[in-house]
Amino acid sequence: MIFAMKGLKLVERGVCWRVTVEGWVLISIILFGLAYFSLTSIHGFLAVHQPVESEVLVLEGWLSDRAVEDLLQEVRINQYQSIIAAGGKRLKGAYLTDFETSADQLRATLIKLGIDSSFIQVVRNPLMKKDRTYSTALEVKQWINQSGGNIESINVVTVGPHGRRSKLLYELAMGKNIAVGVINIPDFDYSPERWWNSSAGVRAVLGESIAYIYSKLFFYPSHE
């Protein structure tokens, strides 16, 4: 039956669709599958490991001693011509050490571990309050421009889920003429396969997920 008023239809009979029990079961299975896939795959996506052929290796000052130790074999096998220790003013322990920046401390650590000092270049980043990875990458780009060499690629050393964002921000800073590879050192504070079982893993993955989304969608870099 249709109710009308002066030729206008106000109400009419229709068919109402509802999800069946079987439909809800299927939807639940799909959502569970997507959640499980995301849980088990997101760490691998963030912790990208994609090195390129290069004679330049970039290490940021925040790398732990263990990460640097694990990197020694990479350094010796590939015979890098330049190892860049990059970093800014120390945020902790500055009063207890003679090293003003994390880059200087990293250089000293590399020398202590047996790396020839003539291969190590120090790149200091004075802008550490905002977008630290990107601003450090810009300082590395400036060093490359001033070095006078024909540098076409670099490998950036990073740890765990920081890898995807490091690659993105270094690519933005380097531009199209310099290829950027990533050498990823595992984070030893948790198991990458079951990162959700530790607070360190949860903080690392969730924090880097948010930071990567911000960098990918909302970060507008300046090359000044």
Side-chain angles (χ1 to χ4, degrees):
M1 179 182 296
I2 299 176
F3 298 92
M5 180 181 294
K6 295 182 179 180
L8 296 177
K9 295 182 178 180
L10 302 180
V11 180
E12 66 179 0
R13 180 180 300 168
V15 178
C16 178
W17 293 88
R18 295 186 303 171
V19 180
T20 65
V21 174
E22 292 84 355
W24 280 118
V25 171
L26 180 60
I27 292 173
S28 299
I29 293 174
I30 293 174
L31 292 177
F32 177 81
L34 290 174
Y36 180 79
F37 177 78
S38 299
L39 200 66
T40 55
S41 301
I42 190 161
H43 189 280
F45 172 78
L46 293 173
V48 61
H49 178 80
Q50 293 178 353
V52 297
E53 291 188 11
S54 178
E55 295 181 348
V56 179
L57 189 67
V58 180
L59 289 76
E60 292 191 313
W62 56 265
L63 293 174
S64 67
D65 290 344
R66 184 168 180 179
V68 176
E69 290 174 356
D70 283 359
L71 190 66
L72 292 181
Q73 186 176 3
E74 166 74 20
V75 173
R76 289 162 180 156
I77 290 177
N78 289 280
Q79 299 181 341
Y80 288 95
Q81 297 302 307
S82 294
I83 301 174
I84 300 177
K89 186 176 179 61
R90 292 174 53 84
L91 302 178
K92 183 178 180 181
Y95 297 106
L96 304 175
T97 178
D98 295 330
F99 303 110
E100 182 178 353
T101 70
S102 60
D104 292 295
Q105 180 173 332
L106 178 58
R107 177 182 182 274
T109 299
L110 291 169
I111 294 173
K112 187 72 173 179
L113 292 174
I115 303 299
D116 191 331
S117 61
S118 64
F119 292 101
I120 306 172
Q121 310 294 329
V122 175
V123 174
R124 300 174 181 88
N125 176 16
L127 303 175
M128 292 293 288
K129 292 183 179 180
K130 183 181 180 182
D131 304 322
R132 287 179 293 179
T133 298
Y134 179 72
S135 61
T136 299
L138 286 181
E139 295 298 328
V140 173
K141 175 67 177 299
Q142 184 177 4
W143 178 88
I144 290 175
N145 291 338
Q146 296 174 351
S147 68
N150 185 25
I151 297 175
E152 298 181 349
S153 62
I154 62 173
N155 275 321
V156 180
V157 178
T158 187
V159 175
H162 193 267
R164 181 70 60 175
R165 185 159 62 99
S166 289
K167 180 175 175 61
L168 171 64
L169 295 176
Y170 267 84
E171 285 176 340
L172 290 174
M174 295 299 124
K176 297 181 179 180
N177 296 326
I178 299 177
V180 176
V182 173
I183 296 175
N184 201 302
I185 306 298
D187 193 327
F188 300 102
D189 290 336
Y190 61 90
S191 170
E193 292 78 16
R194 301 186 66 83
W195 57 266
W196 57 87
N197 282 345
S198 72
S199 59
V202 171
R203 287 197 303 269
V205 172
L206 294 186
E208 282 300 329
S209 296
I210 295 170
Y212 176 72
I213 292 172
Y214 165 77
S215 299
K216 188 70 173 179
L217 300 180
F218 304 109
F219 179 62
Y220 299 97
S222 170
H223 291 269
E224 296 180 359

